[in-house]
Amino acid sequence: RCFHLPQMLTIKKTPLRNPDPHRTRIIYFADYSYKPNEDTLKQIFRHILPNLHKSMESPYVFQFFGAGLPNSMKSMIDSNKYNVEYLGFVPDVYSILLLSDIFLTPVLYDAGGVQTKTIEALAAGVTVISSVTGARGLSPADCGTNLIQISDGNWKGYVDSILTVSRETAIDRFT
């Protein structure tokens, strides 16, 4: 026999809106001592943020948080010019998720399971822009418009999707 047990999360707070309606809030979080998570963050810095910075017409901030960030990444953040904020370890993930517009997860490695952080972001009502690998195990039909899948390594697809979601959420923030 085989049983399907869906992932279940309960969020006790009412979803909030981004506190700055003029700025798109993009996030990623992970335990960076796990190599695939560190590599994912590096992909964001190498391929997504530089192109986003050139293309984004409205203000944005990329915030990321989590434990285990290597010193080599800290120096990369200090020298960045892409509106990045490292929040360090955040004990209440939902306090950030509920204020965010976009959660990025350009995971390129199949770590052997559903990305729990992706489920947490979806449960908080955040639009998730994910690689196909990062959304493995999720049903796009069940996620509706909150899950945008990009083929693995299609960095332009990420930037285009961020621009589209940013325009749509800006309209929502002012209505």
Side-chain angles (χ1 to χ4, degrees):
R1 259 187 191 177
C2 183
F3 295 97
H4 170 74
L5 297 174
Q7 294 274 345
M8 300 294 288
L9 289 174
T10 302
I11 297 180
K12 296 177 180 140
K13 299 176 187 172
T14 303
L16 303 172
R17 290 179 171 239
N18 182 332
D20 183 351
H22 301 285
R23 183 170 80 159
T24 300
R25 194 171 191 188
I26 306 162
I27 63 165
Y28 177 71
F29 66 94
D31 176 354
Y32 301 105
S33 64
Y34 182 56
K35 182 82 167 114
N37 291 337
E38 178 188 346
D39 290 345
T40 297
L41 185 61
K42 286 179 181 176
Q43 300 300 334
I44 292 170
F45 270 89
R46 284 186 191 133
H47 301 291
I48 297 173
L49 292 178
N51 294 311
L52 179 64
H53 192 70
K54 291 177 198 171
S55 305
M56 194 75 157
E57 297 166 0
S58 58
Y60 73 94
V61 62
F62 172 69
Q63 295 178 318
F64 68 103
F65 54 95
L69 188 70
N71 287 332
S72 61
M73 290 297 297
K74 289 177 185 170
S75 64
M76 194 161 101
I77 296 158
D78 292 340
S79 65
N80 94 82
K81 55 186 171 287
Y82 304 124
N83 304 325
V84 173
E85 296 175 5
Y86 174 53
L87 306 177
F89 175 76
V90 173
D92 180 10
V93 170
Y94 295 106
S95 66
I96 305 296
L97 280 171
L98 294 172
L99 297 172
S100 301
D101 298 304
I102 298 169
F103 174 69
L104 287 181
T105 181
V107 174
L108 296 177
Y109 305 111
D110 183 358
V114 173
Q115 296 285 320
T116 304
K117 58 183 155 265
T118 302
I119 293 170
E120 291 171 327
L122 289 166
V126 178
T127 298
V128 174
I129 302 175
S130 175
S131 62
V132 171
T133 298
R136 185 171 129 332
L138 297 174
S139 167
D142 292 340
C143 298
T145 58
N146 280 8
L147 175 63
I148 300 169
Q149 288 187 356
I150 307 296
S151 56
D152 293 7
N154 177 2
W155 308 118
K156 183 178 180 332
Y158 278 95
V159 173
D160 291 345
S161 293
I162 292 168
L163 294 172
T164 299
V165 171
S166 177
R167 281 190 290 274
E168 291 169 358
T169 56
I171 292 167
D172 289 346
R173 284 192 296 257
F174 288 105
T175 57

